[in-house]
Amino acid sequence: MKRAMYKDAFREIGKNLGRFFSIFLIVGLGAAFFAGVKASAPDMKYTADQYYDQYNMMDLRILSSMGLTAEDIEAIKAQDGVAAVQASYFADVVTTVNANEFVFRIHSLPAEAIQSGSEDYLNRPKLTAGRYPENPGECIIEDSNAIDLGLQIGDTIKVSSGKKTDLTDILRIDTFTIVGKAVSPYYLTYDKDASDIGSGKVNFFMMILSTDFSYPVYTEALVTVQGARDMNSYSPEYQKLVDKIKNQL
């Protein structure tokens, strides 16, 4: 019975070779496309995770409306499971470029690490042009593919608080010289956070030395978790580990 069935099947294939190979190719292409789609998401997550590890991306970000003191930072470091803590500053400011107003979020770069050439600090940006700030009043700005501000290395940016608050409460100086451009693992997408100044949305990021901030307390603490770097940051195991430390903090 089976022999007759096979014989009949091969006879039909022989009579319709063109149709058979067409169907065969369609099925093959469909299978290949499906395999590619199934593999693309895990591959993209793996690539992103490698990028986070390469530039020492934080696992947790701690904020406080009252700011964070040196004692707070030491208390965070003392928690079991915390691998590293970096006290940082950030602030939103307004600047005008070619008669257009933009909101820049300024992040601090650890002055000692930059000046010593160390790359151990958290949320390290990737330079695309120029160099890191080395002196007061120097900055690096976002190298954006979406909007070209027309700003080049050597240009200056004058910023303001965008509200009634005096800028000197935030920064020691209001004019910065661009010495480099960069991208950051912290900003993987074009859309950024909301802001309470300007258009209500952060347009670009800028980074300066931490010594250029005048805040009396830190505005954030970046934290890495022990053992988290060995895991894929999109895996349930990673999330469980980080959530455990987050709950402790």
Side-chain angles (χ1 to χ4, degrees), residues 189-230:
T189 64
Y190 173 70
D191 289 329
K192 297 180 175 67
D193 292 341
S195 177
D196 61 352
I197 60 174
S199 63
K201 180 181 179 181
V202 175
N203 302 117
F204 297 94
F205 72 77
M206 186 168 87
M207 296 183 176
I208 63 176
L209 294 178
S210 57
T211 50
D212 281 340
F213 278 88
S214 56
Y215 282 130
V217 291
Y218 300 110
T219 56
E220 64 180 356
L222 311 179
V223 178
T224 55
V225 175
Q226 292 177 0
R229 190 167 183 171
D230 297 329

Side-chain angles (χ1 to χ4, degrees), residues 94-104 149:
V94 170
T95 189
T96 301
V97 181
N98 298 324
N100 295 311
E101 185 180 81
F102 296 98
V103 177
F104 274 72
L149 291 174

Side-chain angles (χ1 to χ4, degrees), residues 74-94:
E74 291 303 317
I76 296 170
K77 288 180 180 179
Q79 286 291 319
D80 291 337
V82 170
V85 182
Q86 179 176 299
S88 302
Y89 306 98
F90 76 94
D92 292 349
V93 297
V94 170

Side-chain angles (χ1 to χ4, degrees), residues 133-153:
E134 297 173 353
N135 304 298
E138 294 182 340
C139 72
I140 57 177
I141 63 171
E142 179 180 357
D143 190 357
S144 173
N145 293 322
I147 300 176
D148 183 9
L149 291 174
L151 296 173
Q152 304 299 326
I153 293 175

Side-chain angles (χ1 to χ4, degrees), residues 3-240:
R3 183 179 296 178
M5 183 178 66
Y6 289 141
K7 186 176 181 180
D8 182 65
F10 284 120
R11 184 185 295 116
E12 289 298 321
I13 291 173
K15 290 180 180 179
N16 302 278
L17 277 177
R19 184 182 299 174
F20 171 78
F21 283 114
S22 296
I23 295 173
F24 182 82
L25 288 174
I26 291 171
V27 172
L29 286 171
F33 182 77
F34 179 74
V37 170
K38 288 287 288 183
S40 62
D43 288 347
M44 291 172 69
K45 289 178 179 180
Y46 175 79
T47 301
D49 181 67
Q50 294 298 303
Y51 179 58
Y52 296 150
D53 291 345
Q54 183 179 0
Y55 293 98
N56 221 8
M57 182 70 170
M58 66 187 179
D59 295 309
L60 291 168
R61 180 178 181 232
I62 300 176
L63 302 173
S64 170
S65 58
M66 297 297 290
L68 298 163
T69 65
E71 290 77 14
D72 294 327
I73 302 303
E74 291 303 317
I76 296 170
K77 288 180 180 179
Q79 286 291 319
D80 291 337
V82 170
V85 182
Q86 179 176 299
S88 302
Y89 306 98
F90 76 94
D92 292 349
V93 297
V94 170
T95 189
T96 301
V97 181
N98 298 324
N100 295 311
E101 185 180 81
F102 296 98
V103 177
F104 274 72
R105 175 155 293 177
I106 303 183
H107 293 273
S108 66
L109 292 168
E112 292 182 2
I114 295 298
Q115 291 164 354
S116 67
S118 172
E119 295 187 343
D120 293 333
Y121 60 93
L122 305 184
N123 286 14
R124 191 171 76 250
K126 177 185 178 182
L127 279 176
T128 58
R131 60 172 174 82
Y132 287 114
E134 297 173 353
N135 304 298
E138 294 182 340
C139 72
I140 57 177
I141 63 171
E142 179 180 357
D143 190 357
S144 173
N145 293 322
I147 300 176
D148 183 9
L149 291 174
L151 296 173
Q152 304 299 326
I153 293 175
D155 292 344
T156 58
I157 297 179
K158 186 177 178 65
V159 301
S160 62
S161 66
K163 55 179 77 170
K164 293 182 179 180
T165 305
D166 193 342
L167 184 68
T168 57
D169 294 338
I170 303 171
L171 301 171
R172 299 184 188 278
I173 49 182
D174 65 358
T175 303
F176 296 88
T177 301
I178 301 170
V179 297
K181 294 186 177 183
V183 293
S184 170
Y186 190 75
Y187 296 103
L188 284 182
T189 64
Y190 173 70
D191 289 329
K192 297 180 175 67
D193 292 341
S195 177
D196 61 352
I197 60 174
S199 63
K201 180 181 179 181
V202 175
N203 302 117
F204 297 94
F205 72 77
M206 186 168 87
M207 296 183 176
I208 63 176
L209 294 178
S210 57
T211 50
D212 281 340
F213 278 88
S214 56
Y215 282 130
V217 291
Y218 300 110
T219 56
E220 64 180 356
L222 311 179
V223 178
T224 55
V225 175
Q226 292 177 0
R229 190 167 183 171
D230 297 329
M231 300 179 179
N232 188 306
S233 54
Y234 293 93
S235 68
E237 293 78 15
Y238 169 86
Q239 195 60 54
K240 183 178 180 180

